């Protein structure tokens, strides 16, 4: 098992390893004493791991309730949060009680957001069960729900008190969900760790626990220096700005990781064509994405992708920040004029 300490406004540990669901109660009991726990999960994950988590928590003296919603991004809405908060109020949850998020990114983002606003803020623990949640969304305290105008438009920065990533839960993931996580893992490699990049490319022969831990360390280092996303944390958006546009163009039939993979390939080709990146970098990125069964191209037209890219919530004024890889392991934040975005995407398509 690996333990990574995160030092943000709230400091916490991320534990990564096998069998952590069984020891969750014991670990959570080192931080909280015999309180009421609301387990937030979805109807795919809860039947798989709910009983194991509850047994562990009850054995450690916790009283458990659960709130289980239908799996899928469509439920990541304020209406689901309202139902959860109403249930917690009806069950007399207090400020000393906690939420435990058992699931992937949607569950974690919503459970964290509910924790940030219930009684003006209570503690929560992340128990990620997807590779994407393990390496990205469970760490760093970004919580949110979607609004009709876009994803994650309503949320808060609210750090968890503990993250327990049981690597056994990855065994039940569909290939598409493994690929989604791999896209984010390759992203970390391109941002700042060449060695990680090649290890993720060859993940089938690697040690997944060690790879997850390295990704979490990178995220920890970036987030610790910019918890509230005003500077270097934007590096984590590598592949995301154009990737979100591809996801949106597909009306979200394309999964997040597949959108990120396409966005990463486009930005890499564009950076190389514009003379910013090292020659051969884009091909290396394409090869790694392909080795992870991820896409590198899209047929959506450039005008539509440019429009969707510019409607991203992070774009403001005359310019937009694009995250540009210069080489594997070296990525920068680069402002381009909004009027240049279409040509840039065209160069990378
Ligand atoms: N997922 C990007 C971030 O946490 O900033």
């Amino acid at each position: 098992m690996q333990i990574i300490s995160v030092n943000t406004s709230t400091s916490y540990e991320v534990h990564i390893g096998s069998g952590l669901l069984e020891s969750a109660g014991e670990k959570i009991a080192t931080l909280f004493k015999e309180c009421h726990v609301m387990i937030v999960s979805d109807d795919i994950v809860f039947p798989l791991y709910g009983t194991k988590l509850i047994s562990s928590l009850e054995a450690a003296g916790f009283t458990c309730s659960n709130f289980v919603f239908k799996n899928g991004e469509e439920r990541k809405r304020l209406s689901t949060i309202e139902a959860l908060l109403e249930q917690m109020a009806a069950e007399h949850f207090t400020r000393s009680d906690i939420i435990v998020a058992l699931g992937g990114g949607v569950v974690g983002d919503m459970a964290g957001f509910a924790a940030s606003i219930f009684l003006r803020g209570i503690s929560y623990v992340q128990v990620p069960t997807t590779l994407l949640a393990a390496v990205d969304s469970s760490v760093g305290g970004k919580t949110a729900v979607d609004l009709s105008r876009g994803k994650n438009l309503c949320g808060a920065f609210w750090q968890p008190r503990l993250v327990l990533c049981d690597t056994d839960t990855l065994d039940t993931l569909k290939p598409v969900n493994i690929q989604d996580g791999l896209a984010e893992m390759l992203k970390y490699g391109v941002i700042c760790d060449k060695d990680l990049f090649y290890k993720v490319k060859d993940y089938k022969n690697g040690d997944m626990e060690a790879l997850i831990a390295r990704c979490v360390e990178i995220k920890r280092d970036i987030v610790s220096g910019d918890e509230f996303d005003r500077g270097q944390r934007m590096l984590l958006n590598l592949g995301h700005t154009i990737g979100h546009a591809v996801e949106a163009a597909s009306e979200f039939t394309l999964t997040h990781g597949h959108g990120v993979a396409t966005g990463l390939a486009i930005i890499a080709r564009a950076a190389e064509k514009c003379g910013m990146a090292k020659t051969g970098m884009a091909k290396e990125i394409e090869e790694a994405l392909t080795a992870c069964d991820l896409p590198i191209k899209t047929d959506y037209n450039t005008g539509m992708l440019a429009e969707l890219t510019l409607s991203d919530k992070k774009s403001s004024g005359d310019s937009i920040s694009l995250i540009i890889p210069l080489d594997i392991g070296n990525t920068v934040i680069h402002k381009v004029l909004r009027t240049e975005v279409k040509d840039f995407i065209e160069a990378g398509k």
Side-chain angles (χ1 to χ4, degrees):
M1 190 193 53
Q2 315 236 7
I3 299 182
I4 293 158
S5 298
V6 182
N7 286 313
T8 41
S9 49
T10 304
S11 295
Y12 53 98
E13 288 181 349
V14 181
H15 296 208
I16 302 155
S18 170
L20 289 182
L21 276 176
E22 283 91 344
S23 56
E26 205 182 299
K27 286 181 182 288
I28 294 172
T30 62
L31 297 170
F32 306 99
K33 291 289 161 248
E34 299 183 358
C35 62
H36 198 171
V37 177
M38 176 59 83
I39 299 171
V40 176
S41 192
D42 68 32
D43 62 352
I44 292 187
V45 176
F46 193 75
L48 291 171
Y49 305 118
T51 308
K52 207 183 256 185
L53 180 61
I54 291 170
S55 305
S56 170
L57 287 166
E58 286 181 347
F62 294 101
T63 307
C64 296
S65 296
N66 60 74
F67 179 85
V68 178
F69 60 90
K70 194 167 169 351
N71 176 273
E73 186 81 26
E74 311 79 61
R75 299 299 158 117
K76 196 176 158 185
R77 303 302 295 238
L78 283 168
S79 52
T80 311
I81 295 289
E82 186 178 9
L84 166 58
L85 299 180
E86 288 288 1
Q87 185 178 326
M88 290 176 69
E91 293 189 26
H92 308 290
F93 271 72
T94 70
R95 281 198 177 137
S96 337
D97 297 323
I98 64 169
I99 288 179
V100 173
L102 174 68
V106 170
V107 166
D109 283 9
M110 283 221 287
F113 184 51
S116 79
I117 54 177
F118 186 71
L119 302 178
R120 299 194 177 85
I122 64 167
S123 298
Y124 75 111
V125 173
Q126 290 273 18
V127 183
T129 59
T130 65
L131 188 54
L132 196 143
V135 297
D136 184 23
S137 56
S138 66
V139 179
K142 276 192 181 174
T143 76
V145 294
D146 302 336
L147 299 179
S148 52
R149 299 298 291 263
K151 280 174 76 171
N152 298 327
L153 292 185
C154 171
F157 289 98
W158 193 247
Q159 301 293 339
R161 291 288 308 279
L162 178 67
V163 181
L164 297 176
C165 169
D166 184 337
T167 47
D168 298 337
T169 62
L170 306 179
D171 295 343
T172 52
L173 290 178
K174 292 189 197 132
V176 67
N177 300 120
I178 295 284
Q179 291 151 14
D180 281 341
L182 292 170
E184 296 284 354
M185 294 169 87
L186 285 173
K187 174 197 84 174
Y188 288 114
V190 178
I191 292 174
C192 62
D193 188 339
K194 205 172 205 161
D195 186 47
L196 172 68
F197 177 82
Y198 292 111
K199 284 185 174 153
V200 175
K201 181 182 177 190
D202 190 33
Y203 74 98
K204 286 178 189 142
N205 301 310
D207 171 356
M208 195 45 100
E209 181 182 308
L211 294 180
I212 295 171
R214 180 63 194 130
C215 293
V216 170
E217 270 175 3
I218 294 174
K219 178 142 193 192
R220 180 268 316 270
D221 291 346
I222 292 176
V223 167
S224 307
D226 178 25
E227 182 175 349
F228 299 107
D229 205 11
R230 299 206 169 94
Q232 66 166 2
R233 188 166 179 166
M234 280 192 272
L235 287 172
L236 297 172
N237 289 335
L238 174 63
H240 284 62
T241 315
I242 298 171
H244 279 154
V246 178
E247 260 184 283
S250 80
E251 294 180 347
F252 298 97
T253 53
L254 197 69
T255 58
H256 177 67
H258 285 62
V260 169
T262 314
L264 179 56
I266 292 174
I267 203 92
R269 287 189 294 262
E272 207 174 304
K273 265 201 195 147
C274 299
M276 295 176 78
K278 190 173 164 198
T279 307
M281 177 200 72
K283 188 162 177 282
E284 294 234 45
I285 291 177
E286 287 178 349
E287 282 171 3
L289 291 167
T290 305
C292 295
D293 296 311
L294 285 157
I296 56 170
K297 292 254 182 217
T298 179
D299 289 334
Y300 293 112
N301 85 54
T302 309
M304 181 190 200
L305 292 178
E307 214 167 285
L308 287 164
T309 300
L310 291 168
S311 70
D312 190 274
K313 66 180 181 295
K314 293 182 187 95
S315 114
S316 63
D318 286 349
S319 58
I320 179 167
S321 293
L322 291 180
I323 315 305
I324 311 272
L326 305 180
D327 191 5
I328 313 288
N330 182 16
T331 292
V332 293
I333 302 167
H334 180 72
K335 280 203 169 191
V336 297
L337 290 173
R338 292 171 70 87
T339 47
E340 292 168 348
V341 165
K342 191 171 168 203
D343 288 345
F344 202 78
I345 296 176
E346 187 58 40
K349 267 191 83 196

